[in-house]
């Protein structure tokens, strides 16, 4: 029986071990694209149809540039990976969504400390790690026991957003806390094995090659959920990492307790990490490597942040 297009898309995404959120996003936009063109077969939809769809998103739906880029990435994946058509040479000329340049919100060191002090347990350690290593939420969620090298005091970050593996220095202040967390995870894993569970999600290609690896201690997430849940991809009962919503909720509560009026998300700690390193005199190229940015232009935004912060040191004529 021939598979439906969206099922083939899901299979391709899982084979390339993209995240669940990427899978949902790509399937959503591909489905939206098909319905926009009244369910015509995708092989009959070419350059003009892609341009019409992207222009519609910008002019009628008024989506942000990021959202429009997400939709375009989904279509690139559809044509290249599923249909076997390389559209990168088509020179797509859709009307682009209006680009707004935002300077990221940055916390002072005291504000970071206050937020951390108003947290406790596993979530306090997570925020310390995000700020101490400049990690994205998805990166800290996906850290496994094998990824922390206590001997060389570094953390391995695999398959990040930029598809670029990297290492970051392990903050020495939380080295002992992380060791305790590792022991807790090991104990929890042994309990799960006794209860008939104990498997963890492993990228599709690796799971095929090493079918028993998902039961190994070293593959367990450093920050697991409290409860066993059902994997929506495999329907297997297993212990996943902590959820985005739970982490975000704990950060929000701590920000309120700290009486900080800035808009703070998990990514704010990454912005603060980069800015504080720049203020400390670390060169921009090193910061680019630590953040895992593909392009130096992405990292350069923090030079603008520091420039804006330096403006606050200028004296107003009214105060002279």
């Amino acid at each position: 029986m021939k598979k439906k297009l969206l099922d083939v898309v899901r299979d391709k995404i899982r084979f390339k071990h993209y995240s669940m959120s990427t899978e949902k996003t790509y399937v959503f936009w591909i489905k939206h694209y098909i319905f926009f063109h009244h369910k015509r077969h995708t092989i009959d939809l070419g350059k003009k149809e892609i341009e019409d769809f992207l222009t519609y998103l910008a002019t009628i739906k008024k989506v942000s540039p990021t959202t429009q880029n997400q939709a375009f990435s989904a279509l690139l994946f559809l044509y290249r990976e599923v249909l076997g058509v390389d559209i990168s040479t088509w020179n797509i000329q859709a009307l682009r969504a209006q680009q707004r340049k935002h300077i990221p919100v940055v916390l002072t060191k005291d504000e970071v400390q206050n937020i951390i002090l108003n947290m406790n347990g596993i979530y306090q350690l997570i925020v310390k790690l995000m700020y101490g290593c400049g990690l994205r939420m998805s990166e800290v969620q996906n850290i496994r026991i094998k990824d922390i090298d206590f001997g060389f005091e570094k953390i391995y970050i695999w398959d990040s957003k930029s598809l670029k593996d990297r290492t970051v220095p392990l903050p020495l202040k939380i080295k002992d806390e992380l060791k305790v967390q590792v022991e807790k995870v090991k104990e929890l894993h042994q309990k799960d094995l006794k209860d008939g569970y104990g498997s963890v999600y492993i990228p599709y290609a690796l799971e095929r090659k090493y079918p028993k690896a998902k039961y190994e201690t070293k593959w367990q997430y450093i920050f697991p959920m409290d409860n066993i849940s059902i994997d929506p991809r495999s329907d297997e009962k297993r212990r996943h990492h902590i959820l985005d919503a739970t982490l975000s909720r704990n950060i929000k509560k701590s920000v309120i307790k700290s009486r900080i009026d800035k808009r703070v998300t998990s990514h704010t700690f990454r912005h603060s990490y980069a800015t504080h390193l720049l203020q400390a005199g670390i060169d921009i190229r090193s910061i680019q490597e630590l953040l895992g940015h593909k392009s130096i232009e992405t990292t350069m935004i923090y030079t603008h942040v520091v420039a804006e912060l330096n403006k606050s040191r200028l004296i107003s004529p009214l105060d002279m």
Side-chain angles (χ1 to χ4, degrees):
M1 184 178 175
K2 192 174 181 181
K3 281 191 173 184
K4 293 181 179 179
L5 177 68
L6 292 180
D7 289 332
V8 177
V9 170
R10 289 187 183 95
D11 287 345
K12 286 285 185 180
I13 289 171
R14 293 172 190 184
F15 181 76
K16 296 182 78 67
H17 58 87
Y18 288 2
S19 69
M20 191 69 189
S21 60
T22 301
E23 179 180 326
K24 288 179 179 178
T25 301
Y26 278 18
V27 169
F28 171 82
W29 284 118
I30 291 168
K31 188 176 180 180
H32 199 23
Y33 173 64
I34 293 168
F35 274 82
F36 177 77
H37 290 295
H38 310 292
K39 299 184 181 179
R40 285 168 57 196
H41 198 289
T42 46
I43 205 69
D44 298 326
L45 304 177
K47 180 176 184 288
K48 182 182 182 302
E49 285 76 17
I50 294 174
E51 291 175 343
D52 288 346
F53 177 65
L54 294 175
T55 299
Y56 158 79
L57 292 179
T59 57
I60 306 301
K61 300 298 285 183
K62 299 191 184 301
V63 301
S64 69
T66 304
T67 301
Q68 192 187 37
N69 287 336
Q70 275 184 350
F72 189 36
S73 295
L75 297 184
L76 281 171
F77 184 89
L78 168 67
Y79 279 87
R80 183 176 61 243
E81 303 294 340
V82 179
L83 303 177
V85 179
D86 184 10
I87 67 171
S88 60
T89 58
W90 287 8
N91 191 24
I92 304 295
Q93 294 294 322
L95 185 66
R96 306 303 288 172
Q98 187 175 357
Q99 182 75 47
R100 291 183 181 178
K101 296 220 170 180
H102 294 288
I103 291 179
V105 173
V106 172
L107 298 166
T108 66
K109 292 178 183 178
D110 287 341
E111 287 171 336
V112 171
Q113 187 176 20
N114 284 339
I115 291 171
I116 289 172
L117 289 174
N118 278 300
M119 302 187 83
N120 48 49
I122 193 173
Y123 297 103
Q124 185 186 69
L125 182 56
I126 290 171
V127 171
K128 284 180 180 178
L129 198 55
M130 282 197 297
Y131 172 66
C133 298
L135 302 181
R136 301 176 177 93
M137 181 189 282
S138 61
E139 290 171 346
V140 78
Q141 285 172 315
N142 284 293
I143 294 175
R144 303 175 193 251
I145 288 177
K146 67 179 182 60
D147 300 333
I148 302 181
D149 187 334
F150 289 108
F152 285 100
E153 295 171 344
K154 61 183 178 180
I155 298 175
Y156 291 87
I157 308 298
W158 309 103
D159 299 325
S160 68
K161 183 181 176 183
S162 61
L163 301 178
K164 184 179 180 183
D165 300 333
R166 69 187 194 278
T167 61
V168 292
L170 171 65
L172 299 184
K173 279 193 173 182
I174 60 171
K175 185 176 179 179
D176 291 338
E177 287 183 70
L178 281 172
K179 283 183 176 180
V180 170
Q181 180 61 21
V182 167
E183 291 306 312
K184 286 180 180 177
V185 173
K186 286 180 178 179
E187 288 176 16
L188 185 62
H189 180 52
Q190 290 305 310
K191 180 182 179 300
D192 286 345
L193 288 171
K194 286 179 183 177
D195 293 341
Y197 304 113
S199 77
V200 70
Y201 167 75
I202 287 181
Y204 180 69
L206 282 173
E207 188 170 10
R208 278 195 313 164
K209 191 173 182 180
Y210 308 109
K212 293 183 180 179
K214 62 184 179 181
Y215 295 105
E216 293 178 11
T217 303
K218 66 183 179 183
W219 279 97
Q220 303 304 306
Y221 291 115
I222 285 290
F223 302 114
M225 288 177 64
D226 290 336
N227 303 315
I228 299 290
S229 59
I230 297 176
D231 189 324
R233 285 176 166 174
S234 65
D235 290 329
E236 188 173 351
K237 287 186 177 181
R238 55 175 40 147
R239 194 178 294 277
H240 200 49
H241 59 61
I242 55 110
L243 300 177
D244 302 29
T246 313
L247 177 55
S248 297
R249 186 166 60 248
N250 277 270
I251 291 173
K252 186 177 180 180
K253 284 180 182 176
S254 179
V255 171
I256 292 170
K257 280 184 184 177
S258 304
R259 297 183 180 181
I260 293 172
D261 295 325
K262 294 176 180 178
R263 182 180 177 274
V264 179
T265 67
S266 61
H267 215 70
T268 306
F269 298 102
R270 180 172 161 88
H271 293 321
S272 303
Y273 164 87
T275 304
H276 295 166
L277 284 182
L278 200 57
Q279 288 178 315
I282 305 299
D283 67 277
I284 196 74
R285 287 285 180 186
S286 296
I287 295 173
Q288 179 193 356
E289 289 295 318
L290 289 167
L291 293 175
H293 285 160
K294 280 183 181 179
S295 168
I296 190 67
E297 281 74 25
T298 309
T299 318
M300 287 298 289
I301 184 66
Y302 298 109
T303 61
H304 301 302
V305 174
V306 172
E308 286 294 319
L309 293 174
N310 287 340
K311 283 182 185 177
S312 62
R313 297 175 186 171
L314 298 175
I315 300 174
S316 166
L318 187 65
D319 295 326
M320 288 180 180

